[in-house]
Amino acid sequence: MNIDKVLLIIIIANVALSIKGFSDRLFFEKYKFQIGAIKRGEKIRMFTSAFLHVDYMHLILNMYVLYIFAPIIIFKLGIVKFLILYFGSLFAGNAFTLIYHKNELYYSAVGASGAVAGIIYAAILLNPDMRLFMFPLPIPIPGYIFGLGYLLYSIYGMKKQLGNIGHSAHLGGAIGGYALLLVVYPEIFSLSTTTVLLLGVPIVLLLLFGHKLK
C-alpha cells in the first residue's frame, strides 16, 4: 500500500512528539489535555494533546489503525477532505471530552484516538461492507456492525469509566467523523442510506439524552 505524503507527515509528527513526551515530562505535562489548564486559557492543549501518547503501545496502535483506514478516505475523497475529517474529528473528540468532564479540573488525556475514531467511522460509512474483527468474536463482521458496536461500547465505557481509556474522546471523534463526512460528501446519503441512518440513531439519542450518562 502506497502511503500518501500528508498521511506520512501526520504519522511522523505523532511519533516524534510522542517520543519527545516519553522522555521529557515537562513537555508532556505542558501540552497534554487537562480540563483545568484549558479552562484557564491554554486552548492549545486541545490540539497538541492529540500528538502525545501514553506509551509506545498506545502510539503504535493509533498509528497502525490510522495507516489502515486513512487510505480509504484519501482514495475516495482526496487529501483535503481527509484533513478536514482528521482534524475536525480531533477537535470534536476533545470538545466532547471537555464538555463531558467540565467539572473534573484534574481530568487529563492524550492521544490521537479521537481523530482516529473519526477516520474509522468515516471509512465505514464510505465502505459499509468492509469486514472487520471485533474482539472477542473469531470471525470478521460487516463494517456497519463494527461501527455500531464501537459506538455502543464507547457509550457504555464512558458511563462505567472502564479502564484508563478516553471513551469520551473516542465517542466525540466518531460523531465528528460521521457529521463531517455528511458535510464534505453529501452523496453518502443516497449511496449508503441504511448505514447512515443505522449509525446515526445512537448519535442522535446520545445528543438528546447524553446528560443522563453522568
Side-chain angles (χ1 to χ4, degrees):
M1 181 188 298
N2 293 324
I3 186 169
D4 185 273
K5 291 180 180 178
V6 174
L7 175 58
L8 182 60
I9 290 172
I10 290 174
I11 292 175
I12 290 174
N14 270 277
V15 171
L17 293 173
S18 292
I19 291 176
K20 167 72 172 173
F22 295 157
S23 59
D24 187 341
R25 198 65 194 177
L26 289 178
F27 178 84
F28 183 89
E29 293 294 328
K30 182 178 180 180
Y31 293 111
K32 72 179 182 181
F33 180 97
Q34 186 178 55
I35 299 292
I38 293 171
K39 282 191 167 185
R40 290 195 301 270
E42 298 178 33
K43 300 296 192 297
I44 190 66
R45 292 173 182 258
M46 295 282 288
F47 176 77
T48 57
S49 60
F51 290 86
L52 299 172
H53 289 80
V54 174
D55 52 35
Y56 280 102
M57 184 59 69
H58 186 207
L59 171 64
I60 291 170
L61 179 61
N62 269 339
M63 293 305 99
Y64 175 72
V65 174
L66 180 63
Y67 171 77
I68 294 299
F69 285 92
I72 297 172
I73 297 170
I74 295 171
F75 177 75
K76 290 196 173 185
L77 302 183
I79 194 64
V80 172
K81 290 181 179 179
F82 162 74
L83 289 173
I84 292 172
L85 287 164
Y86 183 86
F87 287 104
S89 298
L90 183 162
F91 282 109
N94 279 342
F96 190 85
T97 302
L98 182 62
I99 293 170
Y100 187 76
H101 294 283
K102 62 183 178 182
N103 296 321
E104 303 169 46
L105 297 182
Y106 292 101
Y107 180 89
S108 62
V110 292
S113 300
V116 172
I119 293 302
I120 292 173
Y121 225 63
I124 289 172
L125 284 170
L126 288 171
N127 189 6
D129 293 325
M130 69 169 70
R131 297 284 166 167
L132 301 167
F133 282 94
M134 176 182 282
F135 182 82
L137 299 178
I139 57 173
I141 59 176
Y144 65 91
I145 298 296
F146 179 94
L148 186 60
Y150 183 91
L151 258 186
L152 295 176
Y153 174 75
S154 294
I155 293 172
Y156 177 78
M158 194 168 65
K159 171 66 174 177
K160 298 296 184 179
Q161 298 185 10
L162 297 178
N164 188 27
I165 299 172
H167 294 287
S168 55
H170 293 181
L171 190 54
I175 294 173
Y178 175 90
L180 286 169
L181 183 67
L182 300 184
V183 173
V184 303
Y185 190 60
E187 298 91 329
I188 198 67
F189 280 110
S190 57
L191 294 175
S192 301
T193 305
T194 301
T195 304
V196 170
L197 294 175
L198 179 66
L199 298 184
V201 168
I203 291 176
V204 172
L205 291 176
L206 176 69
L207 294 177
L208 290 175
F209 304 107
H211 61 282
K212 294 186 177 180
L213 289 176
K214 282 288 189 178

